[in-house]
Amino acid sequence: MTERATVDMWFDPICPWAWMTSRWLLEVEKVRDLDVRFNVMSLSVLNEGRDELPERYKELLSKGWGPVRVCIAAAETAGPEVLRDLYTAFGTRIHLQKYELDEKLYREALTEVGLDPELAAAADTDQYDEALRASHNAGMKPVGTDVGTPVIHAPGPNPDEKIAFFGPVVTPAPKGDAAGKLWDGVLLVAGTPGFYEIKRSREIGPIFD
């Protein structure tokens, strides 16, 4: 049997593009020998002190502390493996059902995955911020601070080697064999020494299908 690889993804629940990438990776799991492990980064941490940002985005980042704090509190309480289902519970409500980032969202998502809804209180405290920053830095350090989320750490072309990259940014999330082909291509370019970027302007927003 082929040994399954572990692929780490860093997400912020409020990012629609990270949500699209996560749904794609779950499809890749079905057609490639890999298991996805979810980790928390924070756009609020990433953009601290950036006064030049538009006011609307700064308002979102201010609210964005809540979901990531709750995710870290859940991981600290029940283990990091809980993030897989909790992220789905959060993302479904935020991106598909258009919930506000508030206590109702947090309590419902926590309850759905079998956790104490009282963990929702973590949204309004800095109790877990040290652990949040540690998780954020672990994901972002290998790719730098001029990118956001999604960030992926994957096996490199050589044994015991890891490659880290931002993206892919894709919509809608490919499914089935198309998901696997995109994964193969992403690994090929990301594993090429000296390769840094391929990009084009986005003409459509995320398609949540």
Side-chain angles (χ1 to χ4, degrees):
M1 292 180 63
T2 302
E3 183 179 354
R4 293 180 69 84
T6 298
V7 173
D8 283 280
M9 176 188 165
W10 271 260
F11 69 90
D12 185 319
I14 67 174
C15 178
W17 297 107
W19 175 252
M20 301 301 299
T21 299
S22 72
R23 300 309 96 180
W24 162 65
L25 284 175
L26 293 178
E27 286 289 316
V28 177
E29 272 191 335
K30 302 174 184 177
V31 294
R32 295 295 185 269
D33 291 322
L34 61 86
D35 297 305
V36 181
R37 186 165 56 192
F38 291 96
N39 308 265
V40 183
M41 65 82 68
S42 170
L43 292 172
S44 301
V45 170
L46 183 69
N47 290 286
E48 280 183 305
R50 294 188 60 190
D51 293 333
E52 75 278 10
L53 295 173
E55 286 301 319
R56 184 174 180 181
Y57 190 56
K58 287 196 284 188
E59 290 175 8
L60 175 63
L61 294 175
S62 178
K63 296 178 181 178
W65 286 97
V68 289
R69 285 170 167 170
V70 173
C71 284
I72 292 293
E76 294 272 298
T77 300
E81 62 277 0
V82 77
L83 290 173
R84 182 186 184 95
D85 291 339
L86 184 59
Y87 181 29
T88 292
F90 266 111
T92 299
R93 287 168 173 80
I94 293 170
H95 303 298
L96 305 186
Q97 300 173 359
K98 307 303 181 183
Y99 273 49
E100 294 294 324
L101 303 179
D102 58 18
E103 184 179 8
K104 179 177 185 289
L105 163 66
Y106 309 143
R107 295 180 71 90
E108 280 192 16
L110 289 162
T111 300
E112 180 179 316
V113 300
L115 295 178
D116 184 355
E118 295 303 317
L119 287 171
D124 300 315
T125 175
D126 63 3
Q127 177 182 353
Y128 295 96
D129 283 9
E130 183 177 352
L132 169 61
R133 292 178 187 276
S135 178
H136 173 90
N137 290 334
M140 301 305 295
K141 186 176 180 180
V143 294
T145 58
D146 59 344
V147 298
T149 179
V151 163
I152 293 173
H153 295 191
N158 301 314
D160 301 321
E161 179 185 2
K162 285 281 187 178
I163 51 176
F165 52 89
F166 165 76
V169 175
V170 60
T171 187
K175 295 178 173 59
D177 190 50
K181 287 181 178 179
L182 177 58
W183 176 252
D184 297 339
V186 166
L187 279 192
L188 178 62
V189 297
T192 300
F195 180 88
Y196 290 104
E197 186 171 357
I198 183 170
K199 190 172 183 178
R200 59 184 172 186
S201 297
R202 292 198 300 262
E203 297 177 347
I204 59 174
I207 299 172
F208 305 116
D209 63 351

